[in-house]
Amino acid sequence: MLYQDLVKVYQALESTSSRLEMTDILARFFRSTDCAHIKPIVYMTQGGIVPDFYPEKLGMADKLYLRTLLAATGAKETMVRELWDREGDPGTVTEKVFETKRQTTLFSEPLTLDRVYDALLRVARLEGSGSQESKVRCLADILHDAKPVEARYIARIVTGRMRLGVASQTVIDSLALAFATKAEKGAVERAFNVTSDLGLVAEVLCLKGIDGLNDIHVMVGNPIRAMLAERLPSPEEILEKMGGRAMFEYKYDGLRVQAHIDNGKITLYSRRLEDLTSQFPDVVKSLGEAFTGRTAIVEGECVPVDINTGEMLPFQEVSHRRGRKHGLTAAIEEYPVRLQLFDCLYLEGEDLTMLPLPDRRTALTRCIVITENVRLSEARVLDDPAKVQEFFTEALNAGCEGLMAKSINDDSVYRAGSRGYLWIKYKKEYRSEMNDTVDLVVVGAFHGRGRRGGVYGALLMATYNPDEDRFETVSKLGSGFDDATLALLPEKLNKFRTPTRHSMVESKMEADVWFEPSLVLEVLGAELSVSPIHTCAHDRIRDGAGLAIRFPRFTGTFRDDKRPRDATTSQEVLDMYNKQLKRVEG
Ligand code: AMP
């Protein structure tokens, strides 16, 4: 297959912002694709080359890519740099350079998909001394044979900025449209949620059709997409929703970890499905000691503890350990963590995700012996709101964020990758309608004035709308930043800058600077109000208006553990608004 066939699809995808149209374009392409190629196509369309949880990462540094571009085209450095500063997007720059400057070769061969894919894989895998030169050579080799428009997408994918706006949900919808019926979409979703590998799901569908998905199960080594919780503001409402009785657990303020154990080999994944194993060798060791079986997938929260008092510390302490390559031993001593396990999704060859929670909890107690650093989440089955409130206070006193209520009914399965009322969070902020934290995505910024001249004065913040796969503005955030953070923001945000509003951002406001939705900040809001200038939950309360968070303050926490699509949803804000309203009226 020729790479240009895929590039034509990219161009078609870029020419529309309608998700339905994107779905159609992809479905048609999937149907006509040879099954041997569908896996790389799925990865590449989403800007990768392998499933997210694999170690291979593209994202070549701009400087190195520039060198490659110069080597491949022989263009003048000053001209390329000028273009780069003006355009900001490596794809556009590359295409323009190619159009004007490419060394003419008489015998350039048309690029095949395999050749491009293999080269990208090689670039991602090369490491160690001399690897930079090899990367330049490897990439220059395919660029040499690329047409300008092909080069545009090679540049984007290799620098980690594909940005076609094709979310996993769009690929799932397209696969269902191409290979299944509407009613069977759930099966496609489930196959993805338990394997986190859309390429694999696509390949099985292409080769064997929908029945082939029956062979896809939870696997040790493939992280399962995390089950998420809804929120409610009172024990009464939670108990009513759960049918009068539920299991309540401490809601730890730490880092979610999914551990895959395979005959002594342990791999740890974050909620974003990143491999955390090398950052937490202490957790690997203590889990190895506490686990009594052979194979399992268990889930829990990694909580920082004070070694002197044994008390839990705030989440920020464990975040000091994330991303560390150097000084890990010192960090482990300084910021020790404890694993509080709360679920068991797989044990000794058996997929437990379809079992009710009490059975999974029993499995957990069977395969784990409690140690100093590995424990089970503090849990109680309760049916009385007063008792729940008591347990909640106990959790807060122990340094937790609140409680997680979990259904123990027969249908209390593990719903991978979805948010629902089988789990409900009850956090301390929700007790007061004026004191709620939300996790919002930065989509734009406004230049500062006066004392803030030269830095950003405020950020345009958005919630996520999963139905539309769009980010909807909800607030202009200017408080809660200290000078050091303000100075740091441009550096943190620059790499996400886009020349115009990103296609996934819905905004009526014109920001001075736009960003690809990436950075998630924790924000404390004081009040919610109907607002004609924001797009969060637009038209849901009043026609032509959305919701705004008033008096927002940055809490100081960058939610680096959350992807933009893990941010607070527009629906959550709408629910908060409705609840707040009820209480004000009542
Ligand atoms: P939130 O990040 O506010 O949406 O809350 C959900 C997160 O709470 C999960 O992703 C876990 O990281 C965390 N958590 C803490 N304790 C528990 C628990 N006992 N059960 C499930 N999740 C928990």
Side-chain angles (χ1 to χ4, degrees):
M1 180 179 163
L2 293 180
Y3 182 55
Q4 68 184 29
D5 297 339
L6 182 58
V7 162
K8 278 189 200 132
V9 175
Y10 290 166
Q11 286 179 292
L13 289 171
E14 273 196 321
S15 69
T16 176
S17 59
S18 145
R19 247 191 79 182
L20 275 181
E21 245 176 79
M22 286 183 167
T23 310
D24 271 342
I25 295 167
L26 278 173
R28 249 179 285 132
F29 185 54
F30 289 152
R31 240 181 265 127
S32 66
T33 298
D34 162 14
C35 297
H37 287 125
I38 201 163
K39 236 179 173 178
I41 287 172
V42 166
Y43 301 139
M44 288 164 84
T45 304
Q46 293 197 274
I49 36 170
V50 284
D52 283 348
F53 61 91
Y54 277 35
E56 291 92 346
K57 298 273 176 277
L58 287 169
M60 191 182 225
D62 286 356
K63 238 165 118 185
L64 190 62
Y65 177 71
L66 249 165
R67 243 168 70 199
T68 314
L69 183 58
L70 296 174
T73 58
K76 251 176 82 194
E77 189 169 346
T78 43
M79 185 273 275
V80 177
R81 278 196 185 280
E82 213 173 273
L83 256 180
W84 193 277
D85 290 342
R86 198 169 64 227
E87 299 287 345
D89 162 40
T92 318
V93 174
T94 304
E95 188 172 10
K96 291 201 165 154
V97 173
F98 263 65
E99 275 162 359
T100 55
K101 200 65 206 160
R102 193 159 73 99
Q103 287 170 338
T104 38
T105 35
L106 288 175
F107 304 106
S108 83
E109 266 181 60
L111 277 178
T112 61
L113 180 88
D114 286 339
R115 202 172 139 211
V116 174
Y117 182 67
D118 288 347
L120 293 174
L121 259 186
R122 238 178 308 139
V123 168
R125 283 179 183 157
L126 283 165
E127 50 183 56
S129 74
S131 64
Q132 301 227 331
E133 281 321 308
S134 312
K135 282 183 191 210
V136 171
R137 242 179 291 126
C138 183
L139 200 60
D141 176 57
I142 50 164
L143 280 175
H144 186 264
D145 287 336
K147 298 194 183 81
V149 63
E150 293 176 327
R152 182 208 298 178
Y153 294 103
I154 294 174
R156 285 193 185 153
I157 195 167
V158 82
T159 53
R161 294 182 221 178
M162 197 60 172
R163 295 177 180 160
L164 287 174
V166 177
S168 302
Q169 192 58 48
T170 310
V171 178
I172 290 171
D173 290 352
S174 318
L175 288 171
L177 196 61
F179 302 113
T181 62
K182 229 182 189 168
E184 290 161 336
K185 194 170 96 181
V188 182
E189 263 164 4
R190 173 155 171 87
F192 171 53
N193 286 333
V194 300
T195 59
S196 305
D197 186 346
L198 261 184
L200 173 76
V201 176
E203 189 180 58
V204 170
L205 275 170
C206 187
L207 286 170
K208 302 185 189 160
I210 192 81
D211 291 341
L213 294 187
N214 293 332
D215 299 336
I216 292 193
H217 297 289
V218 167
M219 291 180 264
V220 176
N222 275 51
I224 301 167
R225 304 215 322 132
M227 175 164 175
L228 302 171
E230 282 288 353
R231 61 168 99 192
L232 281 176
S234 69
E236 288 80 4
E237 283 165 86
I238 293 174
L239 282 170
E240 194 192 320
K241 196 86 181 175
M242 296 266 174
R245 211 160 141 263
M247 177 144 95
F248 289 82
E249 298 179 19
Y250 276 12
K251 183 176 190 307
Y252 299 93
D253 185 10
L255 184 75
R256 185 164 183 166
V257 167
Q258 194 178 94
H260 288 231
I261 314 173
D262 187 5
N263 291 298
K265 179 175 177 284
I266 297 181
T267 313
L268 307 177
Y269 296 102
S270 74
R271 166 175 164 161
R272 295 173 56 160
L273 314 184
E274 300 149 323
D275 191 330
L276 295 173
T277 318
S278 61
Q279 285 171 51
F280 293 93
D282 48 337
V283 175
V284 170
K285 183 164 176 282
S286 33
L287 185 57
E289 287 160 6
F291 179 64
T292 57
R294 281 177 300 115
T295 54
I297 301 175
V298 291
E299 210 171 39
E301 191 87 350
C302 228
V303 200
V305 282
D306 182 323
I307 28 172
N308 296 309
T309 62
E311 281 175 1
M312 289 184 270
L313 297 170
F315 169 73
Q316 277 92 322
E317 302 294 326
V318 68
S319 65
H320 289 299
R321 287 189 42 183
R322 305 211 53 207
R324 280 222 185 193
K325 286 206 178 119
H326 306 290
L328 190 60
T329 319
I332 289 171
E333 274 178 30
E334 212 177 325
Y335 310 107
V337 293
R338 180 194 294 156
L339 188 58
Q340 301 279 173
L341 294 170
F342 54 74
D343 221 316
C344 181
L345 312 180
Y346 180 94
L347 188 60
E348 310 303 356
E350 209 189 319
D351 178 353
L352 308 187
T353 55
M354 297 314 277
L355 295 185
L357 176 65
D359 295 352
R360 305 202 303 275
R361 181 91 186 181
T362 306
L364 194 58
T365 51
R366 279 215 199 104
C367 69
I368 295 288
V369 286
I370 306 300
T371 64
E372 177 63 26
N373 298 321
V374 179
R375 306 185 184 179
L376 303 197
S377 59
E378 222 36 73
R380 239 173 251 175
V381 173
L382 299 171
D383 55 11
D384 174 0
K387 289 265 157 44
V388 174
Q389 199 56 37
E390 226 171 78
F391 195 39
F392 177 70
T393 312
E394 189 189 308
L396 294 190
N397 289 338
C400 291
E401 283 188 309
L403 295 177
M404 267 299 207
K406 297 184 180 176
S407 166
I408 46 174
N409 299 331
D410 289 348
D411 63 353
S412 59
V413 297
Y414 188 91
R415 285 248 162 81
S418 79
R419 192 185 292 283
Y421 283 100
L422 285 177
W423 287 9
I424 302 175
K425 53 193 172 189
Y426 176 40
K427 287 185 7 180
K428 58 175 173 243
E429 300 91 2
Y430 308 151
R431 281 196 300 180
S432 152
E433 69 259 26
M434 298 299 194
N435 191 20
D436 248 341
T437 71
V438 281
D439 299 319
L440 303 178
V441 188
V442 187
V443 296
F446 302 87
H447 296 312
R449 293 192 198 153
R451 225 173 65 75
R452 292 204 179 161
V455 293
Y456 293 135
L459 302 177
L460 184 58
M461 309 301 293
T463 49
Y464 178 56
N465 175 346
D467 298 329
E468 304 286 330
D469 195 34
R470 291 290 179 266
F471 293 86
E472 303 175 331
T473 73
V474 71
S475 185
K476 225 171 131 175
L477 174 68
S479 310
F481 299 100
D482 56 28
D483 289 348
T485 313
L486 276 177
L488 190 82
L489 278 176
E491 187 190 314
K492 252 184 141 37
L493 285 163
N494 254 349
K495 52 179 176 286
F496 306 121
R497 246 179 112 144
T498 51
T500 51
R501 182 172 54 79
H502 191 276
S503 61
M504 291 171 74
V505 173
E506 291 287 356
S507 174
K508 294 192 200 172
M509 248 184 213
E510 262 311 311
D512 293 329
V513 179
W514 291 105
F515 303 110
E516 175 185 358
S518 298
L519 197 63
V520 182
L521 306 188
E522 189 182 71
V523 174
L524 193 66
E527 210 174 85
L528 288 166
S529 62
V530 174
S531 153
I533 52 171
H534 285 292
T535 53
C536 170
H538 204 258
D539 294 338
R540 301 283 295 278
I541 303 266
R542 193 187 300 156
D543 276 354
L547 285 177
I549 293 177
R550 301 188 61 201
F551 314 120
R553 278 186 76 76
F554 177 45
T555 64
T557 302
F558 289 97
R559 292 297 308 252
D560 292 332
D561 62 317
K562 287 201 170 181
R563 287 180 214 236
R565 289 193 178 88
D566 297 327
T568 300
T569 61
S570 304
Q571 182 65 44
E572 285 182 84
V573 171
L574 181 63
D575 291 346
M576 283 159 87
Y577 174 83
N578 283 330
K579 270 165 213 136
Q580 171 186 310
L581 204 66
K582 243 186 264 155
R583 263 179 287 163
V584 173
E585 282 168 354

